[in-house]
Amino acid sequence: MKLKVPQIKKDIFYVGANDRKKQLFENIWPIETGVSYNSYLIVDKKTALIDTVDLNVIDTFLSKVEHSLQGRQLDYLVINHMEPDHCSGIRYIMRLYPQVQLVGNKKTFDILANFFGTYTNLIEVQEGDTLTLGQRTLKFYFAPMVHWPEVMMSFETSEHILFSADAFGSFGTLDGGITDEELDFNWFTEEYVRYYANVVGKFAHPVQQILKKFNGITISTIAPTHGPVITHHINIEKLLSLYHKLSSYETEQGVVIAYASMYGNTEAIAEVIARELAENGIKHIKVFDVSKTHASYILRDIFKYKGLILGSPTYNMELHPSMEALVMKLEHLGLKKRVYASFGTFSWAGKAAKKLGELGEHLQFDIAAPTIEEKGALKDEKFAECIVMAQIMAEKLKQYL
Ligand code: FEO
């Protein structure tokens, strides 16, 4: 098949590919608009490939690599990240280019051996080491736990291009355009946040560490492993600032109300609270039925907004299973710095309200009001408590701005 492989800079070829077949990223997160696995080939005196791709798109990737090399050998494969959405191509590259040298760190090669067996042609790098390709040189910055322990970033020093692995990535395919100058960059705004919340959100401190590392270093291009290549300085600043904000748990004035409801009683409480918040001047109110909306989207908004209110009926003396799943994710993420409230319902024996109340304490949230628990449908006394809860939440949110 005839190919035209785009270049993000002179002799740096984009050899990644779009995946529109996969339903769930990591078999967890919905990707209705797909995802791209980005890989880059630098053709210089030496040739270097930076990361590979997921098995789903391996043929396209290999064709692009072969085409861009134009018969030359591949000298290096730089492995910034060993998660299989980027490392699955390693075995194929090794078969096609058996002399290629794999560049990574000690942790990279531990994972490599466990996934694919022992390789001998390894170049182990340390933090700050460089690899000269000719005109271009790569400098390696370790970024442990952004998103796995072996992650490193490769910085091309002549044009200040940061190959950033998962950091600064996004869901969504690259439909024609590869760089922010070539596509509708604003479309990705929400997907950057969702990707962060779903994939990177647990690792706020490591993200802060890497942001510190690049403080004072000029970055003219960010080339992540997913989503657009960012070349415009305003978009680079936007993205750095977004990562700073998200990893510091900084938020906007708004509330996520996420509830589970079997027959409508818990939902009715959510509606009362939402309305009262609106009457008290809160504009960004996002109400989700956790049985309907995938946690991926709810987490995105939870990362965006300061207020969080959870509600659940008691189900088999526990939380409703859909709420239990969301609560577990919040605990795993170690979400911080939220103004929180909760409510629950039951028919004959309550448990959900207590559990949701405990979550707020466990995560050290600012608790706006005591947990509300109603038996059956909402009645006068608890209705009044809901109104007060919403009013206090609104007041607290206004103080944070
Ligand atoms: Fe895109 Fe952590 O892999």
Side-chain angles (χ1 to χ4, degrees), residues 25-26 37 81 83-86 146-148 151 165-166 195 199 225-226:
F25 186 77
E26 295 180 331
Y37 312 107
H81 187 15
E83 191 166 1
D85 54 333
H86 309 296
V146 187
H147 143 238
W148 279 18
V151 170
D166 277 346
Y195 174 88
V199 179
T225 46
H226 304 286

Side-chain angles (χ1 to χ4, degrees), residues 10 31 66 114 117 218 222 227 266 274 311-312 322 337 348 396:
K10 188 173 182 309
I31 41 172
E66 190 181 12
N114 284 313
T218 303
I222 297 178
T266 322
S312 174
S322 302
K337 299 185 184 174
W348 65 91
K396 278 185 173 282

Side-chain angles (χ1 to χ4, degrees), residues 279-399:
E279 287 192 8
N280 282 270
I282 303 301
K283 284 197 165 43
H284 298 290
I285 303 164
K286 303 287 181 185
V287 181
F288 295 104
D289 180 336
V290 292
S291 299
K292 167 91 182 294
T293 305
H294 195 287
S296 173
Y297 301 95
I298 304 174
L299 290 172
R300 175 198 62 199
D301 284 354
I302 287 176
F303 268 84
K304 274 169 70 175
Y305 297 118
K306 187 76 180 174
L308 174 62
I309 302 176
L310 299 180
S312 174
T314 296
Y315 186 90
N316 289 345
M317 292 305 292
E318 295 291 341
L319 288 169
H320 185 286
S322 302
M323 179 53 72
E324 197 165 42
L326 180 65
V327 163
M328 198 170 72
K329 285 187 173 67
L330 292 173
E331 282 185 333
H332 288 175
L333 285 168
L335 186 73
K336 292 182 175 58
K337 299 185 184 174
R338 292 300 182 277
V339 181
Y340 179 73
S342 58
F343 58 93
T345 60
F346 66 98
S347 298
W348 65 91
K351 192 65 177 280
K354 182 170 182 291
K355 290 219 156 196
L356 290 180
E358 286 167 356
L359 174 78
E361 286 163 22
H362 179 220
L363 294 178
Q364 300 182 310
F365 291 151
D366 177 357
I367 312 284
T371 302
I372 295 169
E373 186 173 44
E374 179 60 286
K375 187 171 185 179
L378 184 61
K379 293 175 279 296
D380 288 354
E381 185 186 341
K382 303 295 175 180
F383 179 89
E385 287 181 22
C386 290
I387 297 297
V388 172
M389 176 191 277
Q391 288 171 348
I392 298 171
M393 172 67 80
E395 280 314 304
K396 278 185 173 282
L397 294 179
K398 287 173 192 167
Q399 286 166 21

Side-chain angles (χ1 to χ4, degrees), residues 193-206:
V193 180
R194 188 165 74 94
Y195 174 88
Y196 178 91
N198 294 176
V199 179
V200 191
K202 183 176 173 59
F203 309 108
H205 183 66

Side-chain angles (χ1 to χ4, degrees), residues 205-217 240 244:
H205 183 66
V207 168
Q208 289 273 305
Q209 294 304 108
I210 196 72
L211 290 173
K212 270 186 210 150
K213 221 176 252 194
F214 285 104
N215 202 5
I217 296 176
L240 289 170
H244 180 71

